[in-house]
Amino acid sequence: MIQAKYTVVRGDYARAGEASADIKRTLKQLGVDSSTLRRIAVASYESELNMVIHSLGGTLTLVIDNDRVKLTSNDLGPGIFDVNEAMQEGYSTADDIARNYGFGAGMGLPNMRRNADKFAIYSMVPDGTTIEMEFNIG
Amino acid sequence: MMTIEQIITALDARVLRGHDKLDQNIYCACCSDLMSDVLAFVNNEKTALLTGLTNIQVVRTAEMLDLKCLIFARGKVPDEQVLDAADELGLVVLTAPRTMFTCAGILFEGGVRGASLPWPGLES
Ligand SMILES: Nc1ncnc2c1ncn2[C@@H]1O[C@H](COP(=O)(O)OP(=O)(O)OP(=O)(O)O)[C@@H](O)[C@H]1O
Ligand SMILES: [Mg+2]
């Protein structure tokens, strides 16, 4: 079993995506096929960017257990008031800074759900948001 | 399909990085300033990303999707730091002196197609 934990900093656009890039490299070294790798990388990157853009900061955790990859994002708040609304394609509260970086289409959460084999989101205001995703790599 | 060399000629583009990788074939292109849209629609690694954004997240997006080629429209040139990050990933980076619309039209005319959309009933 391989495990890695990355700290994700609020508003740090310059480094946003580095955790996901590292996760992708790790999985590539393990021989994960390119289309599965792409699904995991996209979902990971979207969750990492959401923590940079919308949260106070948090962590991204990777667990590789035999033929299963688990990715968990866990942030420090402020949480999502209405998760169903946030899951809708096109729903976004991203600010101008995020939009200037190319984010705020309201596609991140739907992208995660579509790419992951298992997807769960838990959120509490003001405690924070946790997203658990699983991918079969077997 | 076009080779990157053909794309350079057709767009009057300038090569910013990846001079030694211009013989690759490009089958698809994606034209957007919204990275999450790119992340949602692109499912073929032989894809070029045509965009007007020049920040580091464009390179990261390309990295997640294993894209081969970035084309910056309207003659935009990213910072050295962004170019070097692209270079490290082995991306070809071009800048073209035309609008996104014109670049996209020229690529389509040359035989490059849009990414196939993941939803039934929609065609690129
Ligand atoms: N970790 C989070 N903490 C607080 N709010 C969040 C978090 N993740 C998402 N949200 C809320 O859910 C909305 C939708 O998220 P989603 O990722 O789908 O779109 P986006 O980030 O706004 O744009 P895109 O992902 O297309 O760049 C966000 O605009 C934000 O309001
Ligand atoms: Mg998002």
Side-chain angles (χ1 to χ4, degrees), chain B residues 68-108:
Chain B
K68 303 294 180 237
C69 182
L70 292 178
I71 306 170
F72 295 102
R74 283 211 284 116
K76 290 186 185 178
V77 176
D79 291 348
E80 284 295 304
Q81 201 190 340
V82 172
L83 287 173
D84 289 344
D87 204 22
E88 227 169 275
L89 295 170
L91 288 167
V92 175
V93 185
L94 310 178
T95 180
R98 303 169 190 274
T99 64
M100 281 235 280
F101 177 83
T102 305
C103 289
I106 290 170
L107 294 186
F108 194 90

Side-chain angles (χ1 to χ4, degrees), chain B:
Chain B
M1 188 275 283
M2 291 172 90
T3 65
I4 297 178
E5 270 155 352
Q6 288 170 332
I7 289 175
I8 293 165
T9 308
L11 297 180
D12 294 320
R14 188 155 62 85
V15 182
L16 299 172
R17 289 294 190 277
H19 294 268
D20 54 334
K21 304 183 189 76
L22 307 181
D23 58 347
Q24 300 178 78
N25 297 332
I26 298 294
Y27 291 85
C28 294
C30 179
C31 177
S32 183
D33 287 349
L34 289 170
M35 293 304 113
S36 287
D37 269 354
V38 177
L39 291 159
F41 300 138
V42 173
N43 47 21
N44 179 327
E45 55 198 41
K46 294 192 165 63
T47 298
L49 171 57
L50 176 56
T51 182
L53 282 189
T54 56
N55 63 66
I56 186 69
Q57 295 309 323
V58 173
V59 175
R60 292 263 177 262
T61 298
E63 178 175 16
M64 296 307 140
L65 295 168
D66 303 310
L67 302 187
K68 303 294 180 237
C69 182
L70 292 178
I71 306 170
F72 295 102
R74 283 211 284 116
K76 290 186 185 178
V77 176
D79 291 348
E80 284 295 304
Q81 201 190 340
V82 172
L83 287 173
D84 289 344
D87 204 22
E88 227 169 275
L89 295 170
L91 288 167
V92 175
V93 185
L94 310 178
T95 180
R98 303 169 190 274
T99 64
M100 281 235 280
F101 177 83
T102 305
C103 289
I106 290 170
L107 294 186
F108 194 90
E109 219 170 46
V112 175
R113 289 296 173 259
S116 55
L117 294 177
W119 293 289
L122 286 176
E123 302 243 335
S124 54

Side-chain angles (χ1 to χ4, degrees), chain A residues 45-47 49-51 53-54 91-92 94 103-110 112, chain B residues 36:
Chain A
Y45 183 62
E46 292 282 19
S47 70
L49 259 298
N50 273 3
M51 287 195 284
I53 297 168
H54 307 293
Y91 177 84
S92 176
F103 296 93
M107 292 297 288
L109 289 170
M112 289 178 226
Chain B
S36 287

